[in-house]
Amino acid sequence: MNKYLIIGAGKLAKHLEHYLKFLDCSVTSWDRSQDPHLFNSKLHDATHILLAISDSALKNFYCKYLEGLEKTVVHFSGALHVDGMIAAHPLMTFGPQLYELEMYRRIHFVLTGAASLQTAIPDLPNSFSLLSSEKKSLYHALCVMAGNFPIILWQKMFFEFEKLGISTEAPRVYLEAALKNSLQNPQTALTGPLARKDRTTIQKNIEALENDPFQEIYLAFVKTIAPELLTTEPLENERSL
């Protein structure tokens, strides 16, 4: 029987423990607030050690307490690779509220250092992908951009709308539709002046953001997606007019 010991007391640790208990697994946890002697007892009984601690502490903790033990040691960092440990990064964001079982089952894991998720955490039925350690930094950069940058833009929208006297509930349908379209058809989800190559509207947008640090963000997106819109050369749709 597999016996899991989760190290850590953060959101990820709580979600992992909740999920494994949903699956009727044998699971216990330990963190620095508990008696150190209790750690030794729990470590002795465990077959799998799940390190849900910060990236900066992973290598030192492993080398000090776990290296050389006949245990399967798994960490969950998307960016870090440590020899001797399996990395099983959950492609998910974890908040203070625990999820239902079906939500946990849908989480995809990205593995480094193992051939399958069953090697790392045998009782999990989740889907998984394999990733070389050399590609982890790029993979994690993409996760950070996709999982956080849109939120920064949405926060800006809510903040500015409130100053304009527009309810923060007003853009809900718009944002829900944008997310749905992106998930269903990511290659064709782009809309607005960037999609239709509307240089005049984009220029007005940029001018409206004068003295706002988000002007640089707007410009960065245009330079990345359609740099030709920032030049004076006529576009194809302008030549026919």
Side-chain angles (χ1 to χ4, degrees):
M1 181 180 182
N2 301 308
K3 296 183 178 180
Y4 300 97
L5 171 59
I6 299 173
I7 307 295
K11 288 181 285 189
L12 174 59
K14 289 180 172 61
H15 280 273
L16 282 171
E17 184 172 6
H18 191 60
Y19 184 22
L20 288 169
K21 286 181 176 178
F22 259 141
L23 299 175
D24 295 323
C25 297
S26 174
V27 56
T28 187
S29 62
W30 183 88
D31 63 82
R32 288 176 295 179
S33 68
Q34 299 180 39
D35 188 331
H37 296 294
L38 191 58
F39 168 70
N40 292 325
S41 173
K42 292 183 175 182
L43 180 61
H44 179 269
D45 291 339
T47 60
H48 293 71
I49 315 302
L50 310 183
L51 289 182
I53 59 179
S54 66
D55 284 16
S56 60
L58 276 173
K59 186 173 183 179
N60 183 63
F61 191 95
Y62 173 74
C63 292
K64 187 173 182 179
Y65 299 109
L66 305 175
E67 190 172 22
L69 298 181
E70 294 185 2
K71 313 279 185 181
T72 299
V73 182
V74 183
H75 72 80
F76 301 91
S77 170
L80 190 65
H81 172 71
V82 179
D83 288 337
M85 284 196 282
I86 298 171
H89 182 250
L91 194 50
M92 184 58 168
T93 180
F94 297 101
Q97 301 299 318
L98 299 174
Y99 304 141
E100 296 297 325
L101 175 59
E102 185 55 32
M103 177 67 81
Y104 290 117
R105 287 182 179 274
R106 293 173 58 199
I107 297 173
H108 187 85
F109 284 79
V110 177
L111 290 177
T112 302
S116 72
L117 185 59
Q118 285 64 48
T119 301
I121 311 175
D123 291 282
L124 294 192
N126 300 62
S127 62
F128 65 90
S129 298
L130 303 180
L131 185 71
S132 67
S133 59
E134 295 80 10
K135 299 293 180 63
K136 291 201 70 174
S137 293
L138 173 59
Y139 159 76
H140 196 251
L142 296 171
C143 291
V144 171
M145 287 194 295
N148 293 277
F149 291 4
I151 294 173
I152 295 171
L153 298 177
W154 294 352
Q155 288 173 335
K156 173 68 171 176
M157 183 186 195
F158 290 137
F159 177 73
E160 296 294 343
F161 270 23
E162 189 172 10
K163 292 200 297 184
L164 293 170
I166 301 173
S167 167
T168 54
E169 289 294 312
R172 181 177 296 274
V173 175
Y174 169 63
L175 296 179
E176 287 176 352
L179 177 58
K180 183 178 180 180
N181 291 340
S182 296
L183 293 174
Q184 291 182 340
N185 301 289
Q187 302 306 319
T188 60
L190 194 65
T191 64
L194 277 173
R196 64 177 183 266
K197 307 298 183 183
D198 185 345
R199 191 185 341 229
T200 300
T201 297
I202 287 175
Q203 187 57 46
K204 288 182 177 180
N205 291 168
I206 293 170
E207 292 170 359
L209 291 168
E210 188 176 3
N211 299 321
D212 188 320
F214 276 77
Q215 185 187 66
E216 291 299 318
I217 295 176
Y218 195 114
L219 280 167
F221 276 110
V222 178
K223 289 176 182 177
T224 301
I225 302 301
E228 69 275 11
L229 297 177
L230 298 175
T231 70
T232 57
E233 292 294 322
L235 305 173
E236 286 297 325
N237 62 336
E238 295 172 332
R239 291 192 182 100
S240 61
L241 297 178

